Amino acid sequence: KESIDKLANLSSLDSLRVNFISNFIINGLFPLNSLILSNYKKVITDESVNKINLSIKAIEQLEMLLSLTTIKLIKENSVTPIYTNNTKIDVQDIKHPMLNENVCIANDFISNDDINIITGSNMSGKSSFMKTIAVNLILANCGSNVCATSFTFTFLRMFTSIKVSDDINKNISTFYGELLRIKNIIDYSKEI
């Protein structure tokens, strides 16, 4: 707190440069920039920087934990996910947390230790459905509530292959980029 207060005071000094008249008068009497710079060097020591970094990390942690609780508070249909040791995902009435619940269409999904193929015509919601499953799985893995009426899952390592782009500089076409992602999944499955 002490370091942040000192920095705030220095910042208010620095704001004097914004006003033309005060900038002209103060810089005419003594070099304001040099004064501010030397005071910044006194305030910013290794110890104060570490304290400020720890404070910022603590605030980030608090903000993260608070954000994970918001699903339960702002969504009408949310549930605490149930963890199982069996490899499965079993969800009922799942919705994407970023969509309005009154407009969003809920879906069910059951997947055991098998492969699922999702098909459909263009713009029928395949990618949105996969993103809905993924986002809710991430929320469940973080210990948050999910947007569903029932959610049973096992901890999984997730890979995505949505919105693959090409890279001309590296000679990677969209098709080749897709193949590289599939190769990563296969390589990972061999490591287990």
Side-chain angles (χ1 to χ4, degrees):
K1 184 179 181 321
E2 183 181 322
S3 299
I4 291 175
D5 288 342
K6 287 179 181 177
L7 288 173
N9 290 337
L10 284 173
S11 177
S12 65
L13 265 179
D14 193 43
S15 66
L16 292 174
R17 292 188 300 164
V18 175
N19 185 327
F20 175 75
I21 296 171
S22 63
N23 186 16
F24 182 74
I25 293 170
I26 292 174
N27 274 325
L29 297 175
F30 55 91
L32 181 63
N33 293 341
S34 300
L35 176 71
I36 291 172
L37 185 60
S38 67
N39 283 333
Y40 269 124
K41 286 182 180 179
K42 289 177 188 173
V43 172
I44 302 296
T45 63
D46 288 339
E47 183 183 342
S48 66
V49 168
N50 286 338
K51 286 180 181 179
I52 291 171
N53 284 336
L54 287 173
S55 299
I56 290 171
K57 287 179 183 177
I59 291 170
E60 289 172 347
Q61 288 286 327
L62 178 63
E63 188 175 269
M64 179 202 59
L65 293 171
L66 288 173
S67 69
L68 290 174
T69 63
T70 57
I71 296 291
K72 185 174 185 173
L73 298 173
I74 63 173
K75 295 293 183 180
E76 292 177 20
N77 295 322
S78 71
V79 66
T80 303
I82 299 168
Y83 172 76
T84 181
N85 286 326
N86 302 331
T87 303
K88 73 183 276 183
I89 302 171
D90 185 352
V91 296
Q92 303 297 314
D93 299 323
I94 192 168
K95 295 181 179 181
H96 197 291
M98 297 297 291
L99 297 177
N100 183 337
E101 288 180 279
N102 300 325
V103 179
C104 183
I105 297 172
N107 291 289
D108 299 339
F109 180 69
I110 298 173
S111 175
N112 293 314
D113 191 9
D114 53 7
I115 295 174
N116 297 280
I117 299 173
I118 300 171
T119 63
S121 61
N122 290 343
M123 296 183 61
S124 62
K126 300 178 298 292
S127 296
S128 298
F129 177 69
M130 289 187 290
K131 289 175 185 177
T132 299
I133 298 290
V135 166
N136 280 289
L137 272 171
I138 291 168
L139 288 170
N141 282 324
C142 291
S144 176
N145 277 29
V146 294
C147 297
T149 56
S150 169
F151 196 98
T152 306
F153 77 109
T154 187
F155 289 111
L156 302 168
R157 175 103 188 248
M158 286 188 284
F159 293 89
T160 63
S161 192
I162 297 174
K163 200 173 179 181
V164 178
S165 59
D166 59 354
D167 188 344
I168 294 174
N169 293 326
K170 295 180 182 176
N171 286 333
I172 297 176
S173 66
T174 305
F175 177 73
Y176 185 60
E178 187 75 41
L179 290 177
L180 289 174
R181 289 198 181 176
I182 292 170
K183 181 185 178 305
N184 289 341
I185 295 168
I186 293 170
D187 290 345
Y188 177 76
S189 66
K190 289 178 182 177
E191 292 175 11
I192 311 179

